[in-house]
Every structure is written in C-alpha cells, then in structure tokens.
Amino acid sequence: MPHWLIIDLEATTDEGGWPVTEMEVIEIGASLVNRQGREVDHFQRFVRPQRRPLLTPFCRQLTHITQANIDAATPLSEVWPLFERWLGQHQTRLEGWASWGDYDRQQLELEWQRHGLDSALAHTPHINLKQRFAKARRLDKPLGLNGALQLAGMQFHGQQHRALEDARNTARLLPLILPV
C-alpha cells in the first residue's frame, strides 16, 4: 500500500514574521500515512538553531516550544540524518510528500543547502496541500489549516503550531485532496 509523508516545520520567527532566509527550523514533525490519512509511523524532533539560538518571546508563545526544548536539542546537521534513517525504512512505499503550503518545502531546501545535506525528499514528488484543497473546494483563496479543517467539518486535534500535531491534522485532509 502506498504511503504519503506529511511534514510540518516550526521555525524561528518574531512578530510580523521573518523572511524564509532568516528563519531556522526548530521542530520537525512528520506523519507517514496511508491514502486514507491514517498514520502508519511518525517522526518528531526539536532542532537547535545555529544563527539565533535564543527564541523570541513571540516564537515561544506561538509554538509553545520552550527555550529548554531548544537548548537540549541538537543542530539540524545531526537531526536530519536521523530523519533520513527513519525515512529510509519507508522509502519503497513512499508515493510522495506533502505540506500545508509551500513554506515547509522552501525552508527544507534552504536548510539542506545551508548545511550541505542530501535528502531523499529532494528526489520525491511534493504536493502543496493548501493549494490543492483550495482548488478542490473551488475557493477564491487558500485557507489556513484550521480554516480548512473547519470547512471540512473537522476540529483541530492537539496544539496548533506544533510540528507533529500540525502534520497529523494536515494528514486528515489528505483523503479529501488526493484523487482516489
């Protein structure tokens, strides 16, 4: 049975947002699901940012990630190989990977380049589920994840702006977006 990988990242930011080039990943959440959106496996790790290791008060409040979580984490150059090893066991059944919007793909590509990392995901098809959902529902403009869930008659499960919870909630919309 084919699987899809849903990825969500949390990153350093401040009120008003930062350009993607200024942001660094602080949490990776990945939910490996079947086409019905049921989780088969998952991956979650905190990541210690290198350029701005101190989280802004806005970032801590938004994500509910503490400075202690980040201080105890390892840099992406150490976390990413763990992710690749985890992903490797599922690679043969992986149909593609997806995220809610294009930010996560852009951030990962930037981080891979910045840290000189190679990834199997770079050679795996990516789908922007936010755009696909808007197109499937004939919306004038794409919705945020919570708005899309509500439109689909679902409630958000867990804490918003936490990587694994966001990935899992995104996965719940997968069956409404993917062709059967």
Side-chain angles (χ1 to χ4, degrees), residues 32-95:
L32 185 75
V33 298
N34 62 23
R35 280 181 155 258
Q36 290 73 46
R38 282 198 200 88
E39 189 170 86
V40 176
D41 200 357
H42 67 272
F43 180 95
Q44 184 279 333
R45 292 288 188 292
F46 291 115
V47 179
R48 185 170 0 117
Q50 300 301 286
R51 292 181 297 160
R52 293 186 183 157
L54 286 179
L55 299 180
T56 64
F58 175 82
C59 186
R60 290 193 315 268
Q61 184 180 1
L62 178 71
T63 62
H64 295 88
I65 295 172
T66 67
Q67 189 64 48
N69 293 143
I70 295 311
D71 291 345
T74 55
L76 190 68
S77 58
E78 294 176 40
V79 173
W80 197 254
L82 299 174
F83 174 83
E84 289 289 331
R85 198 168 321 133
W86 171 81
L87 182 61
Q89 63 192 331
H90 302 293
Q91 197 69 43
T92 56
R93 293 209 272 321
L94 192 62
E95 198 171 340

Side-chain angles (χ1 to χ4, degrees), residues 102-138:
D102 208 36
Y103 158 75
D104 303 274
R105 183 191 60 78
Q106 290 175 3
Q107 187 70 48
L108 281 176
E109 287 177 356
L110 227 152
E111 297 278 8
W112 297 334
Q113 190 176 29
R114 188 181 291 152
H115 295 281
L117 299 167
D118 190 29
S119 177
L121 294 182
H123 316 288
T124 306
H126 174 265
I127 290 181
N128 176 337
L129 293 175
K130 186 177 190 176
Q131 291 294 342
R132 288 276 181 104
F133 183 84
K135 189 175 179 183
R137 293 291 173 119
R138 294 182 169 87

Side-chain angles (χ1 to χ4, degrees), residues 22-37:
E22 295 297 312
M23 299 168 85
E24 289 176 274
V25 173
I26 56 172
E27 186 182 26
I28 299 169
S31 180
L32 185 75
V33 298
N34 62 23
R35 280 181 155 258
Q36 290 73 46

